[in-house]
């Protein structure tokens, strides 16, 4: 490996982000407190916590995978990029808090709206990060079509999360389902995602 | 090491998994809450927590060691492999919760069955991961006999954990002892394990 | 990269520090406990926690960025450097505690003075670390002007934090605002900071 | 860097250990709970927690530094070495629990004896690890005199911790002071320590 000081910087930023995300994704499980009672129904009554933990885990995993692809395109770790990344991690660090809130209140209106709002912030920070990375990447590394598709994709989820924030105030369950749907759509291997992936590993 | 972008990807997936596992294995110890009283008997009354912590620690260590061997065989980090790995980590992340539950209820029936059930899930996710990695590895790297033995071995522990899940509902102590026996058998240096190890480091 | 045993040592010290800082920056968010009530006002009542969490996050991020620049200049990991770094991490590890204290007491006098005092300790440890690293760096790597500016800069924030410690005892809000101002000034991309940055990446 | 698969294994074992130790050293600070009251005396009443946190932090830092030196001598990561390392980490993972216990009981007899006992266990596991690593290292890398001194040194602290365990049952404060003295002696830069260090970096 020919590691220039610059790429060493990128590696360290990546490793630090990974450590922060690893702690965040694991801290959420602390909210899954073992019940005092040994019955199945005691376990069953944890469903709001379990569902919201699973959704947040999935969200953070998606964020990690996307970040993973972007990091490969980084050429130089600029101070700006480092700060945008810290802003992104700050938004992600609010996920365990908002997850705990919707779990405790069993998907109440304001908490679910706040939960979707945190997803909007993570997405906004991610888009800033994406824009800065794309500005560094050259044509052969990332064709115009792939860029457009990646941007459209993150714009799509941004809209879905923003809509979920508003909808949750009227119907929290509908807002939460919209968040989950957007996450599952994000997992589809074909379509924009694969185009981006192909472009980045060519 | 000539680090292609692909192997860099494998390293990052390995490093991220390690960070998550490191946090999980350490969070469990938080359940070992220091007693208010300063007597030996106060320490002694923690035995259900201590025993279940030790068993879970051993289990996660075994999972790490096996994962460690598999990672060496990975040639390309495919999106599928990354997602199977996230599923595996999700299952592992439930270990502190289930450990806390059996500790609090002093090895009650439903909690021990759930505990063994989480081990079944971790094992299933591990087998998926193993299958995908084996599909990438070539003949000289991993001979047919080593593959068969590794598969048989993980099938054996899977069966033991599944049996423990069922048995725990009638006799939680017997179920827990079956889990512990399967873990200790897994540590035996000879037999299938060593064959696999030899094959992977040749 | 030609990794000599020495540079491997530097990398490991850097990676360990990053892991500790990643855990610390994330543990602070545990203090942001989800309210039991689902109302907006319940969220609003968390403002002292939220503000202090944001300030501490920003502080630890700044510490990380500066440390990141210094690590690039290290030639040899001496035992002394390792111990100064452990002292630095010890001071940083007190940040979540002091953050929790100002949050719980809603910015009371003694807690804010203690909070600013912890920042003074982190800064003092950082200056020790900086001095040792600068003593290793050669002229072409780091010109005299850049050194002087970096030193002046950290002396400036040290003074601001020390002043905030004293002021907080009379007016905690003024002390806290002084801390925040020093942090924001630290973020300015131009001036001393950029000079240092330029020198270190030339 | 020419990274053979074997050295890659050593790096991963080192990185995983570091992550576990980083989490453990940071979790201890969670026991330093911010007081509800904003007075100086409320802070002062935390002294047993603060002192025991500082001692445990110092101990884990010493363990890390020694481990850091040993890792450089490892040639091959054997399964046995990995398991001895897991045993070592298990012993270290009990430090936050025992630290919390002596803090809560304000240095009572049984807790301090247990605390020193955990240090004995960490030391025993460390000596096993050291023996296995020394068995791999060649003469030019590590001369007989350095080995003897390193062994004598860890035997000395082992004895001190064992004595502290017994003494604590009669006088917990004397036991705790013996632990602290042994730690501070370990920090002395000259004598056995430096000889070992010189040998390992030659």
């Amino acid at each position: 490996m020919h590691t220039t000081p610059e790429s060493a910087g990128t590696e360290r930023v990546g490793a630090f982000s990974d450590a922060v995300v690893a702690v965040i994704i694991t801290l959420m499980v602390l909210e899954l407190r073992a019940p005092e009672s040994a019955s199945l129904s005691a376990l069953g009554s944890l469903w709001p916590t379990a569902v919201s933990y699973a959704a947040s885990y999935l969200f953070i995993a998606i964020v990690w995978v996307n970040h993973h692809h972007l990091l490969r395109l980084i050429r130089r770790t600029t101070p700006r990029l480092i700060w945008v990344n810290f802003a992104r991690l700050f938004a992600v660090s609010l996920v365990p808090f908002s997850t705990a809130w919707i779990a405790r209140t069993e998907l109440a209106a304001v908490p679910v709206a706040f939960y979707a709002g945190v997803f909007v912030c993570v997405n906004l920070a991610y888009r800033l990060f994406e824009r800065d990375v794309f500005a560094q990447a050259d044509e052969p590394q990332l064709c115009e079509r792939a860029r457009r598709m990646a941007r459209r994709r993150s714009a799509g989820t941004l809209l879905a999360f923003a809509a979920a924030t508003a909808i949750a105030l009227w119907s929290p369950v509908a807002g939460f389902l919209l968040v989950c749907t957007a996450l599952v759509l994000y997992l589809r291997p074909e379509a924009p995602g694969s185009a981006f992936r192909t472009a980045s590993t060519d």
Side-chain angles (χ1 to χ4, degrees), chain A residues 132-199:
Chain A
D132 283 16
V133 172
F134 279 10
Q136 282 185 13
D138 296 336
E139 180 66 33
Q141 246 196 312
L142 189 69
C143 71
E144 193 43 53
R145 196 174 137 267
R147 282 165 201 255
R148 218 172 34 234
M149 284 192 148
R151 271 198 224 104
R152 222 177 264 172
R153 202 186 188 200
S154 60
T157 36
L158 186 61
L159 275 176
F161 292 146
T165 307
I167 290 170
L169 293 171
W170 278 268
S171 164
V173 171
F176 187 72
L177 287 179
L178 181 52
V179 165
C180 294
T181 312
L183 291 179
V184 171
L185 284 183
Y186 226 121
L187 287 177
R188 268 190 326 162
E190 339 93 277
S194 63
F196 173 44
R197 216 139 43 217
T198 313

Coordinates of all heavy atoms in Angstrom, one line a residue, chain A residues 132-199:
Chain A
D132 N -19.3 17.6 -1.2 CA -17.9 17.9 -1.1 C -17.1 16.8 -1.6 O -16.0 17.0 -2.3 CB -17.5 18.1 0.4 CG -18.0 19.5 0.9 OD1 -18.8 20.1 0.2 OD2 -17.5 19.9 1.9
V133 N -17.5 15.5 -1.4 CA -16.7 14.4 -1.9 C -16.8 14.4 -3.5 O -15.8 14.2 -4.2 CB -17.2 13.1 -1.3 CG1 -16.5 11.9 -2.0 CG2 -16.9 13.0 0.2
F134 N -18.0 14.6 -4.0 CA -18.2 14.5 -5.4 C -17.4 15.6 -6.1 O -16.9 15.5 -7.2 CB -19.7 14.7 -5.8 CG -20.5 13.4 -5.6 CD1 -20.0 12.3 -5.1 CD2 -21.8 13.4 -6.1 CE1 -20.7 11.1 -4.9 CE2 -22.5 12.2 -6.0 CZ -22.0 11.1 -5.4
A135 N -17.2 16.8 -5.4 CA -16.5 17.9 -6.0 C -15.0 17.5 -6.2 O -14.3 18.0 -7.1 CB -16.6 19.1 -5.1
Q136 N -14.6 16.5 -5.4 CA -13.2 16.1 -5.5 C -13.0 15.0 -6.6 O -11.9 14.9 -7.2 CB -12.7 15.5 -4.2 CG -12.3 16.5 -3.1 CD -11.7 15.7 -1.9 OE1 -11.4 14.6 -2.0 NE2 -11.6 16.5 -0.8
A137 N -14.0 14.2 -6.8 CA -13.9 13.0 -7.7 C -13.9 13.4 -9.1 O -14.6 14.4 -9.5 CB -15.0 12.0 -7.4
D138 N -13.1 12.7 -9.9 CA -13.0 13.0 -11.3 C -14.0 12.3 -12.2 O -14.7 11.3 -11.7 CB -11.6 12.6 -11.8 CG -10.5 13.4 -11.2 OD1 -10.8 14.5 -10.7 OD2 -9.4 12.9 -11.1
E139 N -14.1 12.6 -13.4 CA -15.0 12.0 -14.3 C -14.9 10.5 -14.4 O -15.8 9.8 -14.3 CB -14.9 12.7 -15.7 CG -15.8 12.2 -16.8 CD -17.3 12.5 -16.5 OE1 -17.5 13.6 -15.9 OE2 -18.1 11.7 -16.8
P140 N -13.6 10.0 -14.7 CA -13.6 8.6 -14.9 C -14.0 7.8 -13.7 O -14.5 6.6 -13.7 CB -12.1 8.3 -15.3 CG -11.4 9.5 -14.8 CD -12.3 10.6 -14.8
Q141 N -13.7 8.4 -12.5 CA -14.0 7.7 -11.3 C -15.5 7.6 -11.0 O -16.1 6.7 -10.4 CB -13.4 8.4 -10.1 CG -12.3 7.7 -9.4 CD -12.1 8.4 -8.0 OE1 -12.0 9.6 -8.0 NE2 -12.0 7.6 -7.0
L142 N -16.2 8.6 -11.5 CA -17.6 8.8 -11.1 C -18.3 9.5 -12.3 O -18.1 10.7 -12.4 CB -17.7 9.6 -9.8 CG -19.1 9.7 -9.2 CD1 -19.5 8.3 -8.6 CD2 -19.1 10.7 -8.1
C143 N -19.0 8.8 -13.1 CA -19.6 9.4 -14.3 C -20.8 10.3 -13.8 O -21.4 10.1 -12.8 CB -20.0 8.4 -15.3 SG -21.5 7.4 -14.8
E144 N -21.2 11.2 -14.7 CA -22.2 12.2 -14.5 C -23.5 11.5 -14.1 O -24.2 11.9 -13.2 CB -22.4 13.1 -15.7 CG -23.2 14.3 -15.4 CD -22.9 15.0 -14.1 OE1 -21.7 15.3 -13.9 OE2 -23.8 15.2 -13.3
R145 N -23.8 10.4 -14.8 CA -25.1 9.7 -14.5 C -25.1 9.1 -13.1 O -26.1 9.2 -12.4 CB -25.2 8.5 -15.6 CG -26.7 8.0 -15.6 CD -26.8 7.0 -16.7 NE -27.6 5.8 -16.3 CZ -27.1 4.7 -15.7 NH1 -25.8 4.6 -15.6 NH2 -27.9 3.8 -15.3
A146 N -24.0 8.6 -12.7 CA -23.9 8.0 -11.3 C -24.1 9.1 -10.3 O -24.8 8.9 -9.3 CB -22.6 7.3 -11.1
R147 N -23.5 10.2 -10.5 CA -23.6 11.3 -9.6 C -25.1 11.8 -9.5 O -25.6 11.9 -8.4 CB -22.9 12.6 -10.1 CG -21.4 12.6 -9.9 CD -20.8 13.7 -10.8 NE -19.4 13.4 -11.0 CZ -18.4 14.0 -10.4 NH1 -18.7 15.0 -9.6 NH2 -17.2 13.7 -10.6
R148 N -25.7 11.9 -10.7 CA -27.1 12.4 -10.7 C -28.0 11.4 -9.9 O -28.9 11.8 -9.2 CB -27.5 12.5 -12.1 CG -28.4 13.7 -12.4 CD -28.7 14.0 -13.8 NE -28.8 12.7 -14.6 CZ -28.0 12.5 -15.7 NH1 -27.2 13.4 -16.1 NH2 -28.2 11.4 -16.3
M149 N -27.7 10.1 -10.2 CA -28.6 9.1 -9.5 C -28.4 9.1 -8.0 O -29.4 9.0 -7.3 CB -28.3 7.7 -10.1 CG -28.9 7.6 -11.5 SD -28.8 5.9 -12.1 CE -30.3 5.9 -13.1
A150 N -27.1 9.2 -7.6 CA -26.9 9.2 -6.2 C -27.5 10.4 -5.5 O -28.2 10.3 -4.4 CB -25.4 9.2 -5.9
R151 N -27.5 11.6 -6.2 CA -28.1 12.8 -5.6 C -29.6 12.6 -5.6 O -30.2 13.0 -4.6 CB -27.7 14.0 -6.5 CG -26.4 14.6 -6.1 CD -26.3 16.0 -6.6 NE -25.0 16.2 -7.2 CZ -24.6 16.2 -8.4 NH1 -25.5 16.0 -9.4 NH2 -23.4 16.4 -8.8
R152 N -30.2 12.1 -6.7 CA -31.6 11.9 -6.7 C -32.1 11.0 -5.6 O -33.1 11.2 -5.0 CB -32.0 11.3 -8.1 CG -33.2 11.9 -8.7 CD -33.4 11.4 -10.0 NE -32.9 12.1 -11.1 CZ -32.8 11.7 -12.4 NH1 -33.3 10.5 -12.7 NH2 -32.3 12.5 -13.3
R153 N -31.3 10.0 -5.4 CA -31.6 9.0 -4.4 C -31.7 9.6 -3.0 O -32.6 9.4 -2.2 CB -30.6 7.9 -4.4 CG -31.1 6.6 -3.8 CD -30.0 5.6 -3.7 NE -30.6 4.3 -3.3 CZ -29.9 3.4 -2.8 NH1 -28.6 3.5 -2.7 NH2 -30.5 2.3 -2.4
S154 N -30.6 10.3 -2.7 CA -30.6 10.9 -1.3 C -31.6 12.0 -1.2 O -32.2 12.2 -0.1 CB -29.2 11.4 -0.9 OG -28.7 12.3 -1.7
A155 N -31.9 12.7 -2.3 CA -33.0 13.7 -2.3 C -34.3 13.0 -2.0 O -35.2 13.5 -1.3 CB -33.0 14.5 -3.6
G156 N -34.5 11.8 -2.6 CA -35.8 11.1 -2.4 C -36.0 10.7 -1.0 O -37.1 11.0 -0.4
T157 N -35.0 10.2 -0.3 CA -35.1 9.8 1.1 C -35.3 11.0 1.9 O -36.0 11.0 2.9 CB -33.9 8.9 1.6 OG1 -32.8 9.4 1.0 CG2 -34.1 7.5 1.2
L158 N -34.6 12.1 1.6 CA -34.7 13.3 2.3 C -36.2 13.8 2.3 O -36.8 14.1 3.4 CB -33.8 14.4 1.7 CG -33.7 15.7 2.5 CD1 -33.2 15.5 3.9 CD2 -32.9 16.8 1.7
L159 N -36.8 13.8 1.2 CA -38.2 14.1 1.1 C -39.1 13.2 1.9 O -40.0 13.7 2.6 CB -38.6 14.1 -0.4 CG -38.4 15.3 -1.2 CD1 -38.7 15.2 -2.7 CD2 -39.1 16.5 -0.6
A160 N -38.8 11.9 1.8 CA -39.6 10.9 2.5 C -39.5 11.2 4.0 O -40.6 11.2 4.8 CB -39.2 9.5 2.2
F161 N -38.3 11.5 4.5 CA -38.2 11.7 6.0 C -38.8 13.1 6.4 O -39.5 13.1 7.4 CB -36.7 11.8 6.4 CG -36.0 10.4 6.2 CD1 -34.7 10.3 5.9 CD2 -36.7 9.2 6.5 CE1 -34.1 9.1 5.8 CE2 -36.1 8.0 6.4 CZ -34.8 7.9 6.0
A162 N -38.7 14.1 5.5 CA -39.4 15.4 5.8 C -40.9 15.2 5.8 O -41.6 15.7 6.7 CB -38.9 16.4 4.8
A163 N -41.4 14.4 4.9 CA -42.9 14.2 4.9 C -43.3 13.4 6.1 O -44.3 13.7 6.8 CB -43.2 13.4 3.6
A164 N -42.4 12.4 6.5 CA -42.8 11.7 7.7 C -42.8 12.5 9.0 O -43.6 12.3 9.9 CB -41.7 10.5 7.9
T165 N -41.9 13.5 9.0 CA -41.9 14.5 10.2 C -43.2 15.2 10.3 O -43.8 15.3 11.4 CB -40.8 15.5 10.0 OG1 -39.5 14.8 9.7 CG2 -40.6 16.4 11.2
A166 N -43.7 15.7 9.2 CA -45.0 16.4 9.2 C -46.2 15.4 9.5 O -47.0 15.7 10.3 CB -45.2 17.1 7.8
I167 N -46.2 14.3 8.8 CA -47.3 13.4 8.9 C -47.4 12.8 10.3 O -48.5 12.6 10.9 CB -47.1 12.2 7.9 CG1 -47.4 12.7 6.5 CG2 -48.1 11.0 8.2 CD1 -47.0 11.7 5.4
A168 N -46.2 12.6 11.0 CA -46.2 12.0 12.3 C -47.0 12.9 13.3 O -47.6 12.3 14.3 CB -44.8 11.9 12.8
L169 N -47.1 14.2 13.1 CA -47.9 15.0 14.0 C -49.3 14.7 14.0 O -50.0 14.9 15.0 CB -47.6 16.5 13.7 CG -46.2 17.0 14.0 CD1 -45.9 18.4 13.4 CD2 -45.8 16.9 15.4
W170 N -49.8 14.2 12.8 CA -51.2 13.8 12.7 C -51.4 12.3 13.1 O -52.2 12.0 13.9 CB -51.8 14.1 11.3 CG -52.2 15.6 11.3 CD1 -53.5 16.1 11.6 CD2 -51.4 16.7 11.0 NE1 -53.4 17.4 11.4 CE2 -52.2 17.8 11.1 CE3 -50.0 16.8 10.6 CZ2 -51.7 19.1 10.9 CZ3 -49.5 18.1 10.4 CH2 -50.4 19.2 10.5
S171 N -50.6 11.5 12.4 CA -50.6 10.1 12.7 C -49.2 9.5 12.8 O -48.5 9.3 11.9 CB -51.3 9.4 11.5 OG -51.1 8.0 11.5
P172 N -48.8 9.4 14.1 CA -47.4 8.9 14.3 C -47.1 7.6 13.7 O -46.0 7.4 13.2 CB -47.3 8.9 15.9 CG -48.7 9.0 16.4 CD -49.5 9.7 15.4
V173 N -48.1 6.7 13.7 CA -47.9 5.3 13.1 C -47.6 5.5 11.6 O -46.7 4.8 11.1 CB -49.1 4.4 13.4 CG1 -48.9 3.1 12.7 CG2 -49.1 4.1 14.9
A174 N -48.4 6.3 10.9 CA -48.2 6.5 9.5 C -46.8 7.1 9.3 O -46.1 6.7 8.3 CB -49.3 7.4 8.9
G175 N -46.4 8.1 10.1 CA -45.1 8.7 9.9 C -44.0 7.7 10.1 O -43.0 7.6 9.3
F176 N -44.1 6.8 11.1 CA -43.1 5.8 11.4 C -43.1 4.8 10.3 O -42.0 4.4 9.8 CB -43.4 5.1 12.7 CG -42.4 4.2 13.2 CD1 -41.2 4.6 13.6 CD2 -42.5 2.8 13.1 CE1 -40.1 3.8 14.0 CE2 -41.5 1.9 13.5 CZ -40.3 2.4 14.0
L177 N -44.2 4.4 9.7 CA -44.2 3.4 8.6 C -43.6 4.0 7.4 O -42.9 3.3 6.6 CB -45.7 3.0 8.3 CG -46.3 2.0 9.3 CD1 -47.7 1.7 8.9 CD2 -45.4 0.8 9.5
L178 N -43.8 5.3 7.2 CA -43.2 6.0 6.0 C -41.6 6.0 6.2 O -40.9 5.7 5.2 CB -43.7 7.4 5.9 CG -43.1 8.3 4.7 CD1 -43.3 7.5 3.4 CD2 -43.8 9.6 4.6
V179 N -41.1 6.2 7.4 CA -39.7 6.1 7.6 C -39.2 4.7 7.3 O -38.2 4.5 6.6 CB -39.4 6.5 9.1 CG1 -38.0 6.0 9.5 CG2 -39.6 8.0 9.4
C180 N -39.9 3.7 7.8 CA -39.5 2.3 7.6 C -39.5 2.0 6.1 O -38.6 1.3 5.6 CB -40.4 1.3 8.3 SG -40.2 1.5 10.1
T181 N -40.6 2.4 5.4 CA -40.7 2.2 3.9 C -39.5 2.8 3.2 O -38.8 2.1 2.3 CB -42.0 2.8 3.4 OG1 -43.0 2.4 4.2 CG2 -42.2 2.3 1.9
A182 N -39.1 4.0 3.5 CA -38.0 4.7 2.9 C -36.7 3.9 3.1 O -35.9 3.7 2.2 CB -37.8 6.1 3.4
L183 N -36.6 3.4 4.3 CA -35.4 2.6 4.7 C -35.3 1.3 3.8 O -34.3 1.0 3.3 CB -35.4 2.2 6.2 CG -35.1 3.4 7.1 CD1 -35.2 2.8 8.6 CD2 -33.8 4.0 6.9
V184 N -36.5 0.6 3.7 CA -36.5 -0.7 3.0 C -36.2 -0.4 1.5 O -35.5 -1.1 0.9 CB -37.8 -1.4 3.2 CG1 -37.9 -2.6 2.3 CG2 -37.9 -1.9 4.7
L185 N -36.8 0.7 1.0 CA -36.6 1.0 -0.4 C -35.1 1.2 -0.7 O -34.5 0.9 -1.7 CB -37.3 2.3 -0.8 CG -38.8 2.1 -1.1 CD1 -39.5 3.4 -1.5 CD2 -39.1 1.0 -2.1
Y186 N -34.4 1.8 0.3 CA -33.0 2.1 0.2 C -32.2 0.9 0.1 O -31.0 0.9 -0.4 CB -32.5 2.9 1.5 CG -31.7 4.1 1.2 CD1 -32.1 5.3 1.7 CD2 -30.5 4.0 0.5 CE1 -31.3 6.4 1.4 CE2 -29.7 5.1 0.3 CZ -30.1 6.3 0.7 OH -29.4 7.4 0.5
L187 N -32.7 -0.2 0.5 CA -32.0 -1.5 0.5 C -32.0 -2.2 -0.8 O -31.2 -3.1 -1.1 CB -32.5 -2.4 1.6 CG -32.2 -2.1 3.0 CD1 -32.9 -3.0 4.0 CD2 -30.7 -2.1 3.3
R188 N -33.0 -1.8 -1.6 CA -33.2 -2.5 -3.0 C -31.8 -2.5 -3.7 O -31.2 -1.4 -3.9 CB -34.2 -1.8 -3.8 CG -35.6 -2.3 -3.7 CD -36.5 -1.7 -4.7 NE -36.0 -0.3 -5.0 CZ -36.3 0.4 -6.0 NH1 -37.1 -0.1 -7.0 NH2 -35.9 1.7 -6.2
P189 N -31.3 -3.7 -4.1 CA -30.0 -3.7 -4.7 C -30.0 -3.1 -6.1 O -29.0 -2.5 -6.5 CB -29.7 -5.2 -4.8 CG -31.0 -5.9 -4.6 CD -31.9 -5.0 -3.9
E190 N -31.1 -3.1 -6.9 CA -31.1 -2.6 -8.2 C -31.2 -1.1 -8.2 O -31.1 -0.4 -7.2 CB -32.2 -3.2 -9.1 CG -32.8 -4.5 -8.6 CD -34.0 -4.2 -7.8 OE1 -33.9 -4.0 -6.5 OE2 -35.1 -4.3 -8.3
A191 N -31.6 -0.6 -9.4 CA -31.9 0.8 -9.6 C -30.7 1.8 -9.2 O -29.6 1.3 -9.2 CB -33.1 1.2 -8.8
P192 N -31.0 3.0 -8.9 CA -30.0 4.0 -8.7 C -28.8 3.5 -7.9 O -27.6 3.7 -8.2 CB -30.7 5.2 -7.9 CG -32.1 5.0 -8.3 CD -32.4 3.6 -8.6
G193 N -29.1 2.8 -6.8 CA -28.0 2.4 -5.9 C -27.0 1.6 -6.6 O -25.8 1.9 -6.5
S194 N -27.4 0.6 -7.4 CA -26.4 -0.3 -8.0 C -25.6 0.5 -9.0 O -24.4 0.3 -9.2 CB -27.1 -1.4 -8.7 OG -27.9 -0.9 -9.7
A195 N -26.3 1.5 -9.7 CA -25.6 2.3 -10.7 C -24.4 3.0 -10.0 O -23.3 3.1 -10.5 CB -26.5 3.3 -11.3
F196 N -24.7 3.6 -8.8 CA -23.7 4.3 -8.1 C -22.6 3.4 -7.7 O -21.4 3.6 -7.9 CB -24.4 4.9 -6.8 CG -23.4 5.5 -5.9 CD1 -22.4 6.4 -6.3 CD2 -23.5 5.3 -4.5 CE1 -21.5 7.0 -5.5 CE2 -22.7 5.9 -3.7 CZ -21.7 6.7 -4.1
R197 N -23.0 2.2 -7.2 CA -22.0 1.2 -6.7 C -21.1 0.8 -7.9 O -19.9 0.8 -7.7 CB -22.8 0.0 -6.2 CG -22.0 -0.6 -5.0 CD -23.0 -1.0 -3.9 NE -24.1 -1.7 -4.5 CZ -25.3 -1.5 -4.0 NH1 -25.6 -0.8 -3.0 NH2 -26.3 -2.2 -4.6
T198 N -21.7 0.5 -9.0 CA -20.9 0.1 -10.2 C -19.9 1.2 -10.5 O -18.7 0.9 -10.7 CB -21.8 -0.1 -11.4 OG1 -22.9 -0.9 -10.9 CG2 -21.1 -0.9 -12.5
A199 N -20.4 2.4 -10.5 CA -19.5 3.5 -10.9 C -18.4 3.6 -9.9 O -17.2 3.9 -10.3 CB -20.3 4.8 -10.9

